[in-house]
Amino acid sequence: MKIHHLPPEEVLPDLGIPGEGLSQEEVRRRLREYGPNEIREVRKDPLYLKLLRQFTHFLAVLLWIAAALCLVSDYLKPGEGMFSLGVAIVGVIIINAVFTFIQEYRAERAVAALRRLLPFDVKVLREGVVQEVPAREVVPGDIFFLEEGDKVPGDGRLLEVQRLMMNHASLTGESDPLSRSDAPFPGDYSDSPNLVFAGTTVISGSGRAVALATGMATEFGKIAHLTSAVDPGLTPLQKEIIRVTRIIAVIALTSGVFFFSLGYFLGMSFWHNFLFAVGITIANVPEGLLPTVTLALAMGSQRLARKKALIKNLNSVETLGSVTVICSDKTGTLTQNRMAVRNFWWLGRDAGPSDAARTWLLKIAYLCNNAVYEDGQYRGDPTEAALLQGAREELGEFSAERLAEVPFDSDRKRMTTVNRVEQETWVLTKGALETVLPLCGHILRGNQREPLTEGNKQTLLQAYHSLMDEGLRVIAFAWRELGEGEEGISRETLGREDFLEKDLVFVGLVGLEDPPRPEVKEAIRKCREAGIKAVMITGDAGRTALAIAREIGLVRHEPEIIEGDKLDLLSDRELRKILLAPEVVFARMAPRHKMRIVSVLKDEGERVAVTGDGVNDAPALKKADIGIAMGVVGTDVAREAADVVLLDDNFATIVNAVEEGRAIFENIRKFIIYIFAHLTPEAVPYVLYSMFTIPLPLTVMQILAIDLGTETVPALALGVEKPEADIMKYRPTYKRLIDLSALFRGYVFLGLISTMGVLSVYFYVLYTGGWHWGQVLPWDAPLARQAATATFLGIVIMQIGNVFACRSSTLSICRIGFFSNKLVLLGVLVEVLLAVLIIYHPLGQWLFGTAPLSWRVWVILLPFSAALLLAEELRKVLVRRALARRG
């Protein structure tokens, strides 16, 4: 027979397990056979592959090609400085790869550390001795004990129970408490009440069970394994970085080939053309892009960690900024997950105080309840604990002997106890109104019973709906006394629901509230301003969910409320139509419904963030563009599947993370425009060098000194620029990191202004040094070195004006404030100091081929840098006026 069909006394003999439990030797054998009792991360790549991946993405490949060109050039014609450049580029790739790997490894370790916050030990019976062992050491065949608050270590068959109530929310997503039994069950395995499952928790009572499966063989483990079938794909930032680097690669290689061909037709030598082609290619490859983007994401992830959001993957930081829909749970995320009694209703309450009816409500709440008050705390199911607290605070200590119980289950949706109080015996029932009301023939008005007429029913239904419309979870209460002839019956009969739950007197209703988090309303408002649609997906009833949604501002009109049974009947086309509505609330939802909603939203082109805490949420978390797991109440499987872990389970933290993500995207875009602006003054002098007989205007080592040296700290300063005031006041658009406006602003507008300043000092140094047009100077001649150094300094000084210009695409630097980003000021200082060392220190002169410059060169460059900033300010004025005209 199947194990759940057997009576409890036959279970251990059928499994071949002795009554005193497994021996230590047998435990060791089974541990070797079945492995540790833990959920393994499926599809987890080994560390060396994760590190290797940092060397093989598209931008890294582009840098590898640039380094290879340098090394080939040096091999074919040594002495041109190409070897040093190639080694430096390889160093950039290695440093960036290691840095990125360390950041993401630390995030993974932080997630793993969450598992260790609460030690998970289990009481087991081995060789006749009860002992505590780590959960990972439990094996199939172990006899384990369950008490209130325990997490079940493996799938097991119950051998003995005492009022055992379980919470299966982590497995099924449904939070209603389930009663467990040790009696045989003839139905399906998954529906059997004599089974407990790994990852679920004990709400109340106790029990003893034998482990049937552990680790990945449990139902919990099987669902976790299914998560591996969901391919999350590339993040939006990864796609954009690939696109950006392809554009840069095309520009760089096209420039190299074009000017090599042009030099060939102009009759220049092969080596002149080849070195120029490599130089122009290197000049167009932003070697600093990779480390700067990585550092910007890393610093963003650290800021988010301080705001209680742990980022597991650096690219997820930016993806948050492009989110268009947030699918959020209600309990604990939008609300505080702290149930409390808020309202009582009984018939005739409006006519005046009625202490008798209210007292009966409190007595039933106190006695028909499995929560307990111990050590100053209320323990048990949150709803029952709230009822006990509400009753105890008014009644004080109240004791009664419990004679029998018909436990709550999700089908009956009610609970009944039989309690003896002094000389009286009461049948007390609480539960959902729709299941309690049909059992009642009378209703209590004050201290008097009267027949339950249609008029009375309509009155209490109106009260029921009114309480639900306040966002309260409503529970109905009923009662009757056992008659003289009923008290002497057997305990077996006394536990039968058909005997107890009849001819009840309806007493009233209690409304419990899980209050919204105070900061959520403002977060919802920011979402609406930002064009982000927030969708509630909850297991609660529709009217309760709607009331909470109204209270927090999630809905303002009459939204469509879709419950799970209705969703099952909808086609994907019908669901798409509903999701396009401005406001919708999903109630009575299971995790499978969440997965379907996420899939349909993604098919519609939305970028979806979804929250979850249970193992059944893991596929939806993986499927979403951003999976957000709860760090406080979430399961390990949910945390592993997610991209972000909320350390406070708060919806407002999600919105803060979205704002940070948007800021990071804008900051990376600012950085790209910033580096584009200096690529033009690096490239144009090379073009002139190719076409005319002028000294080499810039060496490749000087290009590297700019890309990886002088401009690095200012670029990083742009990466930590604070979010602009209006960043959450526009709808997320699929803005490109590079588009025509960015290319024009960087290469043409800012680039050409920079080029004018750079060429001015280049030719100033040449002409004041006695050079005349057509004169040939070798690249290492003192005057040629001075002219190249002037070009280098010109780019550095122009980039000082450029970094202030790029701090915002629309706001004036006067409004932002010159001193609001201290790192920019530090970056400018570091940039100038590096330039001084490279130009005036002997080591810098030897390494980068520079020569000392007159102070007059510095003076000539300053007005050009100021002019660049002024021109950008005028452009921003025109942009703001254009935006204002659009409304």
Side-chain angles (χ1 to χ4, degrees), residues 237 293 296-297 663-672 737:
L237 181 63
V293 169
L297 293 174
I664 287 172
F665 184 88
E666 288 298 322
N667 289 346
I668 293 174
R669 185 176 164 88
K670 292 171 188 175
F671 161 72
I672 289 176
L737 280 174

Side-chain angles (χ1 to χ4, degrees), residues 240-298:
E240 272 300 289
I241 292 294
I242 290 173
R243 179 178 168 273
V244 167
T245 50
R246 284 175 177 166
I247 291 173
I248 291 172
V250 169
I251 292 173
L253 295 176
T254 302
S255 300
V257 171
F258 174 78
F259 287 108
F260 181 86
S261 303
L262 179 63
Y264 175 79
F265 286 113
L266 292 175
M268 296 183 179
S269 69
F270 172 83
W271 283 112
H272 183 282
N273 285 337
F274 182 79
L275 289 175
F276 167 71
V278 171
I280 198 74
T281 301
I282 298 300
N284 279 287
V285 174
E287 293 86 359
L289 175 62
L290 194 59
T292 305
V293 169
T294 300
L295 287 171
L297 293 174

